[in-house]
Amino acid sequence: MKLVTWNVNSLKVRLPQVLQWLAENPVDVLCLQETKLTDDKFPVAEIEAAGYQVIFTGQKTYNGVAILSRHPMSEVVKNNPRFEDEQQRIIAATIEGVRVVCAYIPNGQAVGSDKYQYKLRWLDALHDWLADELKTHESLALLGDYNIAPDDRDVHDPIGWQGQVLVSDLERAAFQRLLGLGLKDSFRLFEQPEKLFSWWDYRMMAFRRNMGLRIDHILLSPPLAARCTACIIDKAPRKWEQPSDHTPVVATID
């Protein structure tokens, strides 16, 4: 089973790229973030024509998440039942015995801002909900744009980014709390080359200069981590015309 996360930064704009990537990479499950579509505008027919079932929850202009699957999906949950929130940031389903949670974690804007405090509260609530989910779902995968670079290896310029949002101590501590549930960072299960990132700003030729961050992650519960044989970052779509600023992360589960 191949599990993928990809922040597409507007599915309306990026749908041709998603369909092209799926045609070239027929994975089992693709979790999308920042679809930025109301539910009535979601391209269900096009995705089903590509061979995928799809569930989604969205809103106009911002946020929005979806799960595309080649297999039946059950026990669908939209949003965190432990956190009242108008923003559409979580969707979950059980697929082939795996509890798949697709999450778009808040950006936080700036350390100390109201949006930063919202991010920390949101992460606390995510932690508590996942603790319950893990009691009933031994095989669980949390995929998404976390808006957190877990450590300095995940930052192109750790000194320049020090103390800023996405790399602050409190955000990294929240990421470690998720790992404290027993979840494993699938990317770090393997030896990886240095300076591999999943997001690059559109400005300052950041992608060409590899000025990126690794903020898109696939965390796996221990039974899935034990079966994980690879985790890669596919940079190819970031080179395409009109790309998302993120690129897919792919975990392979035997």
Side-chain angles (χ1 to χ4, degrees):
M1 175 181 275
K2 288 195 173 184
L3 306 175
V4 185
T5 185
W6 189 3
N7 179 324
V8 290
N9 192 13
S10 175
L11 186 57
K12 181 179 180 180
V13 175
R14 243 64 70 178
L15 179 62
Q17 297 183 6
V18 170
L19 296 176
Q20 177 184 338
W21 192 85
L22 287 172
E24 297 171 357
N25 303 271
V27 298
D28 297 275
V29 177
L30 172 59
C31 292
L32 302 179
Q33 303 86 41
E34 281 203 276
T35 54
K36 298 182 179 180
L37 290 172
T38 53
D39 288 354
D40 61 309
K41 302 292 186 183
F42 200 91
V44 175
E46 292 90 335
I47 288 170
E48 289 181 344
Y52 287 84
Q53 302 179 33
V54 62
I55 56 174
F56 49 89
T57 184
Q59 63 188 89
K60 188 177 181 180
T61 308
Y62 301 104
N63 308 318
V65 286
I67 300 176
L68 286 62
S69 173
R70 286 192 173 278
H71 312 285
M73 293 184 275
S74 62
E75 300 178 283
V76 175
V77 171
K78 298 179 180 182
N79 300 317
N80 182 350
R82 287 177 168 267
F83 190 79
E84 188 172 343
D85 193 6
E86 293 182 354
Q87 299 187 31
Q88 303 303 302
R89 294 183 173 276
I90 289 178
I91 194 163
T94 301
I95 305 169
E96 296 287 281
V98 176
R99 189 62 172 163
V100 174
V101 180
C102 173
Y104 175 46
I105 291 170
N107 175 277
Q109 190 179 52
V111 173
S113 68
D114 289 345
K115 290 183 178 180
Y116 183 77
Q117 297 304 324
Y118 161 71
K119 180 177 189 175
L120 296 178
R121 293 194 305 273
W122 198 96
L123 283 162
D124 281 344
L126 176 66
H127 171 277
D128 294 346
W129 176 58
L130 288 177
D132 283 345
E133 289 288 286
L134 285 162
K135 292 174 183 175
T136 52
H137 301 282
E138 185 180 57
S139 296
L140 182 146
L142 175 64
L143 303 92
D145 174 2
Y146 286 53
N147 274 309
I148 301 171
D151 62 51
D152 285 352
R153 292 177 294 174
D154 304 311
V155 183
H156 72 93
D157 179 4
I159 295 174
W161 276 85
Q162 188 172 9
Q164 294 190 46
V165 70
L166 310 186
V167 304
S168 71
D169 290 343
L170 290 178
E171 291 166 284
R172 286 179 166 180
F175 188 90
Q176 291 301 316
R177 281 194 76 210
L178 293 174
L179 298 185
L181 293 171
L183 299 175
K184 308 293 184 184
D185 181 350
S186 57
F187 187 76
R188 293 297 177 202
L189 293 174
F190 308 96
E191 288 290 329
Q192 302 284 4
E194 293 183 358
K195 296 190 177 297
L196 276 181
F197 308 120
S198 63
W199 170 84
W200 302 261
D201 200 312
Y202 287 125
R203 300 168 294 180
M204 301 180 293
M205 296 188 295
F207 179 67
R208 185 178 300 179
R209 300 164 66 189
N210 200 29
M211 296 167 56
L213 301 178
R214 188 177 73 95
I215 57 175
D216 303 271
H217 309 294
I218 301 174
L219 299 192
L220 303 174
S221 64
L224 291 181
R227 294 163 47 202
C228 185
T229 58
C231 183
I232 64 164
I233 296 172
D234 182 357
K235 293 171 64 174
R238 189 61 173 82
K239 302 173 185 177
W240 294 348
E241 188 175 348
Q242 273 198 307
S244 169
D245 45 354
H246 297 252
T247 206
V249 180
V250 184
T252 302
I253 312 293
D254 272 356

